[in-house]
Amino acid sequence: MTQEKSTETRNRALLGLAAAVAVAGSGVAIARAMRARVDRRRRDKGLSFGTARVHGAVLHFARAGRGPALILLHGFPQDWSEWRPIMARLAKRYTVVAPDLRGIGQSTAGSAKFDAATMAADVHELTRVLKLDRPYVVGHDIGGMVARAYARLYPKDPRGAMILDVAVPGLDGWDDAVSGSKAWHIGFLQTPDLPETLVAGGRQDAFLSYFLRMGRHSAAEMGEALKAYASAAQFHAACEMFRAFGDNAAFGRETNGLNDVPLVYGTGEGSPFAGLADRIVKALEDSGFVSVKRVTVPDAEHYVVADNPEAIAALIEQHA
């Protein structure tokens, strides 16, 4: 055999091996994709998904169950799936709807406004589109700010609201909550353009997982939450929510007066907000809410649903 033929034979063998590896790799990729799809179907059994055009935005939502309406609003950096661990249980008693807030996950923003009052208007319109009468509204973190704004703007609509592990903008405790070393990320995310420049473009996972690791999120739960902020537009929406804190504080100071929507204010047992809870409850009462109950979620810090889902489900069942 000549050297030229020997080289040709080796090249053909290498090409064949490469093709076999490529086929095998494609097979593995396809198998993984199919397994992921099956896992999602099993995990989301009983859930349906949809979108609704509301108040200039298009909100994506998960829905389950039948009964009195229950709206669940996620925090940062999460999406509707924050509530997945308790949706099946709650669906036995309620019509449960968990939307992605505007600009997050599969929801679009529709405008440059990301303040709590605007997002409360989104949720109010969503209840109209979905024909959800007299909902009970539960919000965690930024979702809690939206829940309070909803109760203020539409006092005749909800049968109650629950605010979980967040200070109320503009009321007593707010300034303490947004200052100090533990609140370093607030000033960073509020800085014009800087977080988008430094973080967006592939570094969101490293930045946002820092916060998610503070809760008992599984790898799958973390991955799903991070996916909701993966694009530059999604991460920008999150930054804009923090930049709207000044507007939220002004709204909190200016919207006072008698309000008979029953409120529940809850914090994780080990949360930084636990030390402010009594002041926040009094501030809500002083602002005009006639019924405010203070509760503590045992064995939980800030990410109360991830840390103790059974306690949160029981708490909602007790009050909703």
Side-chain angles (χ1 to χ4, degrees), residues 184-185 205-214 222 226 303:
W184 63 269
H185 63 289
D205 284 10
F207 177 71
L208 297 175
S209 63
Y210 167 84
F211 303 101
L212 292 170
R213 285 195 297 270
M214 297 176 185
M222 285 186 64
L226 294 172
Y303 292 98

Side-chain angles (χ1 to χ4, degrees), residues 101-152:
L101 296 177
R102 58 167 45 209
I104 304 301
Q106 297 182 57
S107 292
T108 63
S111 75
K113 299 186 70 176
F114 290 89
D115 58 285
T118 295
M119 293 191 285
D122 291 344
V123 176
H124 179 252
E125 184 67 7
L126 181 66
T127 66
R128 188 193 66 80
V129 172
L130 299 182
K131 297 179 172 56
L132 302 174
D133 185 50
R134 299 278 291 164
Y136 191 90
V137 182
V138 181
H140 169 238
D141 191 73
I142 288 178
M145 299 182 193
V146 179
R148 188 265 179 184
Y150 189 100
R152 264 293 163 202

Side-chain angles (χ1 to χ4, degrees), residues 13-29:
L14 289 172
L15 286 172
L17 179 61
V21 170
V23 170
S26 298
V28 170

Side-chain angles (χ1 to χ4, degrees), residues 46-292:
L47 298 180
S48 61
F49 300 91
T51 59
R53 184 172 296 277
V54 298
H55 197 233
V58 176
L59 294 192
H60 167 264
F61 59 88
R63 180 172 182 163
R66 181 174 295 181
L70 174 64
I71 307 291
L72 305 175
L73 305 175
H74 66 82
F76 168 85
Q78 297 171 290
D79 67 347
W80 75 268
S81 65
E82 171 183 2
W83 304 99
R84 181 190 277 115
I86 63 175
M87 286 186 71
R89 172 173 168 173
L90 295 175
K92 296 176 182 178
R93 299 176 59 171
Y94 307 101
T95 296
V96 185
V97 175
D100 290 334
L101 296 177
R102 58 167 45 209
I104 304 301
Q106 297 182 57
S107 292
T108 63
S111 75
K113 299 186 70 176
F114 290 89
D115 58 285
T118 295
M119 293 191 285
D122 291 344
V123 176
H124 179 252
E125 184 67 7
L126 181 66
T127 66
R128 188 193 66 80
V129 172
L130 299 182
K131 297 179 172 56
L132 302 174
D133 185 50
R134 299 278 291 164
Y136 191 90
V137 182
V138 181
H140 169 238
D141 191 73
I142 288 178
M145 299 182 193
V146 179
R148 188 265 179 184
Y150 189 100
R152 264 293 163 202
L153 290 170
Y154 311 104
K156 300 300 181 184
D157 284 10
R159 63 183 187 276
M162 184 177 295
I163 302 169
L164 293 173
D165 220 76
V166 70
V168 180
L171 301 188
D172 188 29
W174 174 250
D175 290 342
D176 298 270
V178 298
S179 61
S181 59
K182 290 185 178 180
W184 63 269
H185 63 289
I186 295 177
F188 174 70
L189 291 169
Q190 289 174 337
T191 305
D193 301 325
L194 182 63
E196 289 93 334
T197 301
L198 295 180
V199 177
R203 291 175 289 275
Q204 293 98 309
D205 284 10
F207 177 71
L208 297 175
S209 63
Y210 167 84
F211 303 101
L212 292 170
R213 285 195 297 270
M214 297 176 185
R216 296 176 193 150
H217 300 96
S218 68
E221 289 168 342
M222 285 186 64
E224 190 161 12
L226 294 172
K227 185 178 178 182
Y229 297 80
S231 74
Q234 290 165 332
F235 185 73
H236 173 70
C239 294
E240 288 296 301
M241 290 180 187
F242 281 84
R243 291 170 187 146
F245 278 10
D247 292 336
N248 294 348
F251 177 83
R253 289 189 297 268
E254 294 164 3
T255 51
N256 295 302
L258 195 65
N259 189 307
D260 61 2
V261 175
L263 292 186
V264 175
Y265 179 79
T267 62
E269 183 179 27
S271 167
F273 296 108
L276 299 171
D278 290 340
R279 290 167 57 189
I280 293 171
V281 167
K282 185 176 187 305
L284 286 166
E285 292 170 339
D286 290 345
S287 73
F289 285 99
V290 298
S291 175
V292 185

